[in-house]
Amino acid sequence: MLTALAIRDVVLIEALDLDFTRGLGVLTGETGAGKSILLDALGLALGARADSGLVRHGATQASVAATFELPDDHAVASLMAQNGLDRDAGEPLIIRRIVKADGGSRAFVNDQPASAGLLRELGRHLVEIHGQHDDRGLLAPAGHRALLDVFGKVDTGSVAVAHRAWRDAEGVLAAARAEIATAARDRDWLEHAVSELDALAPEAGEEETLADRRRLMQRSEKIADDLSTIDTLVSDGEGGLSKLRQAARYLERVAPDHPALADALGAIDRAIIEGAMAEHRLAEAARALSFDPRSLEDDEARLFELRAMARKHRVQPDDLAALADELRGRLERLDNGEAGLGALEADLAAKARAYEAAAAAVSAAREAAAERLDAVVATEFAPLKLDAARFRTQVARLPDDQWSASGRDRVEFLVSTNPGAPFAPLIKIASGGELSRFVLALKVALAEEGGAATLIFDEIDRGVGGAVASAIGDRLARLAQGAQLLVVTHSPQVAARGDGHFLIAKRHDGIVTRTGVRTLGDDERREEIARMLSGAEVTDEARAQAERLLAA
């Protein structure tokens, strides 16, 4: 609930701090005293348009801070978390809005920067404002379905799941039809492309293998002459290895004659062994690096074909094999398309039937809830002196293209104000006084089914008096048992039912006009209600009547 409102430099309000409690709070004052400024200030904190005209003349900025006490599991908590805002358990919610005289504005939620859009979202969970010119809330047909669902505890979860499955099946079928239509237009191209790719038979990784092999063969050409020269120097009859063998044979004859000759023979033998190893490895390398020139030509031709085909299809050479599979699959789906479409169409029809069954169950629940709501609202009409009025919750079928996750129903609250008169939308046929009472009757009927914890009624008793005003006061007091109500009123009968009373008044010091609000004590409250009864001159008779209203 709203516990405090701090206003600084808003229009005629210089500085104002108000504390609120549960129950019914009434705000009274002379016409033009500034009650609308108070509501505008609260609206600013709840995300209303930031108009620099709200800044008091001579001030650089206006500010409003609204404080709310909420349970930790309130919907506001998850909304704040979704928007990256912190709130500790048990901590009050403080929404602050600043508007500068030059037009700029800033918003804060528990001292964390926030957008005006987020303030509006929070506001929908915190405060409901109703008045005889309200074209939102209970009077807006767009919200009637949700109100009825809450009242009737209508569970739309199953229809939402069925709707999602139905729409997904529609999307799959549409995509399949589009693919088949495109494939049919491109059949000749597909067949030619698949034929080309099948003839080429590309393999993943083939380009890299061919490129590496080509580089090796090109290198082999360059080192072939060096290998030939090395072979001549090592293995030829006049090569180094042959000469070492000849030297070894000579040394074998003379080695016994001296130890050094024997050592020399051992060294030459080791050199011959190493040389033979080198000769063997050179032969291996020569065999490995030898190639048929036609192989180089073939690899280069293959590499060219792969790269040319890749450029043609705007893919990498390594992706050609996957592309061939994809195009082949498209041809196969085209060939099998009609059978596939038939299965998808059957699936879509089944999903549509499932949605209609779920939607029909929700419609039946809404129709039953509508009957109950009509009966509850009707019981509120007589006390509010609307005996001739009738109320109807119309549950009608929407056009097929407007069916949604919420079902296929359009819900609208209709009334007939006189016997024999047709039913029509509430806002179109009710007079100002009737409209306020219809709104109150609806709100009382819906009160136990959730909604914002703070309700504000702005002069909904305008145009009524006497017994009707008293009945409105009774209903407001009843509604306040389960919620916090703030009522701007000109009716003494309504004001007398308040649990707290705020007086809004202007004062002028000869230079500046200011609007102030103060909480009234018992005696002050009796005097204010007497003023509301008698006008400018408060009589003893009016005071006595005020006393009777307060006692009642």
Side-chain angles (χ1 to χ4, degrees):
M1 71 169 189
L2 177 67
T3 58
L5 185 64
I7 305 173
R8 299 291 183 272
D9 295 318
V10 174
V11 192
L12 298 178
I13 299 175
E14 183 175 12
L16 181 62
D17 293 284
L18 293 175
D19 294 320
F20 301 96
T21 60
R22 291 190 176 277
L24 177 60
V26 296
L27 295 91
T28 64
E30 297 282 3
T31 300
K35 294 183 289 294
S36 62
I37 299 175
L38 203 62
L39 295 183
D40 287 344
L42 179 59
L44 186 64
L46 299 178
R49 181 176 175 272
D51 187 346
S52 60
L54 292 173
V55 180
R56 188 174 63 85
H57 180 69
T60 58
Q61 66 179 32
S63 69
V64 181
T67 303
F68 296 86
E69 293 289 347
L70 304 169
D72 292 336
D73 60 351
H74 194 278
V76 161
S78 61
L79 188 57
M80 288 179 63
Q82 292 168 17
N83 287 272
L85 300 179
D86 299 326
R87 177 173 177 248
D88 295 331
E91 180 184 26
L93 176 70
I94 302 175
I95 299 177
R96 186 161 56 96
R97 189 86 178 275
I98 297 172
V99 180
K100 295 182 179 180
D102 60 9
S105 72
R106 291 180 295 160
F108 302 88
V109 176
N110 284 10
D111 288 329
Q112 300 164 91
S115 67
L118 176 58
L119 262 57
R120 284 191 290 274
E121 289 187 66
L122 294 171
R124 282 193 285 270
H125 294 283
L126 296 169
V127 177
E128 290 181 22
I129 299 178
H130 300 285
Q132 67 172 348
H133 301 298
D134 186 11
D135 59 355
R136 300 170 291 118
L138 296 178
L139 302 185
H144 291 174
R145 184 172 62 193
L147 289 170
L148 178 63
D149 287 351
V150 171
F151 173 82
K153 296 180 174 60
V154 178
D155 183 3
T156 59
S158 60
V159 76
V161 171
H163 182 266
R164 188 180 308 111
W166 177 30
R167 294 309 182 200
D168 288 347
E170 276 188 334
V172 171
L173 178 60
R177 284 173 172 165
E179 182 179 1
I180 289 173
T182 300
R185 291 193 300 270
D186 297 339
R187 176 183 283 276
D188 291 342
W189 178 85
L190 278 172
E191 290 177 341
H192 174 72
V194 169
S195 176
E196 273 190 331
L197 288 167
D198 285 347
L200 183 63
E203 297 178 3
E206 185 179 7
E207 183 204 22
E208 183 177 358
T209 300
L210 288 171
D212 289 345
R213 200 160 64 198
R214 183 182 68 165
R215 282 192 296 270
L216 183 59
M217 286 189 286
Q218 289 172 337
R219 178 63 179 159
S220 297
E221 282 187 319
K222 295 179 181 179
I223 65 174
D225 290 342
D226 292 336
L227 286 176
S228 177
T229 300
I230 294 169
D231 182 64
T232 299
L233 292 172
V234 174
S235 303
D236 190 74
E238 297 297 324
L241 192 56
S242 175
K243 292 183 182 297
L244 282 173
R245 289 188 178 110
Q246 291 177 19
R249 287 195 294 272
Y250 282 112
L251 275 172
E252 284 175 351
R253 294 197 294 268
V254 298
D257 294 332
H258 195 280
L261 293 175
D263 290 342
L265 178 58
I268 289 176
D269 284 342
R270 289 192 298 274
I272 290 171
I273 293 172
E274 292 295 330
M277 178 62 72
E279 184 180 44
H280 175 71
R281 299 297 289 171
L282 285 169
E284 280 187 353
R287 286 192 300 272
L289 294 172
S290 65
F291 64 92
D292 184 349
R294 285 178 300 179
S295 297
L296 177 59
E297 293 175 2
D298 292 344
D299 284 357
E300 286 185 330
R302 177 70 175 174
L303 198 56
F304 175 80
E305 289 177 347
L306 286 172
R307 289 175 175 173
M309 188 68 73
R311 286 193 299 272
K312 179 177 181 179
H313 290 286
R314 298 181 181 178
V315 297
Q316 294 299 316
D318 279 351
D319 296 332
L320 286 172
L323 176 65
D325 291 340
E326 179 188 341
L327 297 182
R328 199 177 296 112
R330 287 173 60 182
L331 268 179
E332 290 173 359
R333 288 194 295 274
L334 179 59
D335 293 337
N336 301 321
E338 291 303 323
L341 282 182
L344 291 176
E345 288 169 348
D347 180 62
L348 174 61
K351 299 286 175 55
R353 288 193 297 272
Y355 171 81
E356 290 193 43
V362 167
S363 296
R366 283 177 176 147
E367 289 168 358
E371 291 183 5
R372 296 198 304 274
L373 178 60
D374 293 351
V376 173
V377 173
T379 63
E380 295 296 325
F381 283 168
L384 293 173
K385 310 305 178 185
L386 294 168
D387 306 72
R390 291 175 297 155
F391 177 83
R392 175 187 296 169
T393 305
Q394 183 184 69
V395 181
R397 180 74 61 85
L398 285 166
D400 294 3
D401 60 353
Q402 294 181 28
W403 292 3
S404 70
S406 298
R408 59 187 186 181
D409 306 314
R410 178 176 59 82
V411 176
E412 187 170 8
F413 299 149
L414 305 176
V415 295
S416 169
T417 55
N418 295 297
F423 283 90
L426 177 62
I427 198 169
K428 291 185 177 180
I429 66 170
S431 66
E434 288 175 328
L435 187 61
S436 63
R437 285 176 281 161
F438 278 123
V439 167
L440 182 56
L442 265 173
K443 194 60 199 177
V444 170
L446 295 168
E448 296 180 356
E449 307 304 330
T454 299
L455 308 177
I456 297 177
F457 287 90
D458 182 15
E459 298 188 8
I460 66 164
D461 53 2
R462 176 175 291 178
V464 301
V468 176
S470 180
I472 290 175
D474 290 341
R475 286 306 181 268
L476 288 171
R478 172 182 162 187
L479 189 57
Q481 293 174 5
Q484 178 189 46
L485 261 69
L486 297 175
V487 180
V488 177
T489 181
H490 288 285
S491 167
Q493 291 88 347
V494 172
R497 296 305 303 268
D499 298 304
H501 194 144
F502 302 90
L503 177 63
I504 304 171
K506 282 182 182 177
R507 64 181 187 278
H508 185 68
D509 61 7
I511 301 175
V512 178
T513 300
R514 294 180 176 86
T515 290
V517 182
R518 59 190 180 89
T519 303
L520 300 183
D522 291 342
D523 291 341
E524 294 173 311
R525 188 177 180 194
R526 184 193 62 183
E527 197 70 11
E528 169 61 9
I529 293 174
R531 181 200 63 77
M532 296 171 72
L533 285 165
S534 64
E537 183 179 349
V538 179
T539 64
D540 290 339
E541 183 181 353
R543 291 188 179 96
Q545 178 62 20
E547 194 70 49
R548 285 191 291 273
L549 286 175
L550 287 168

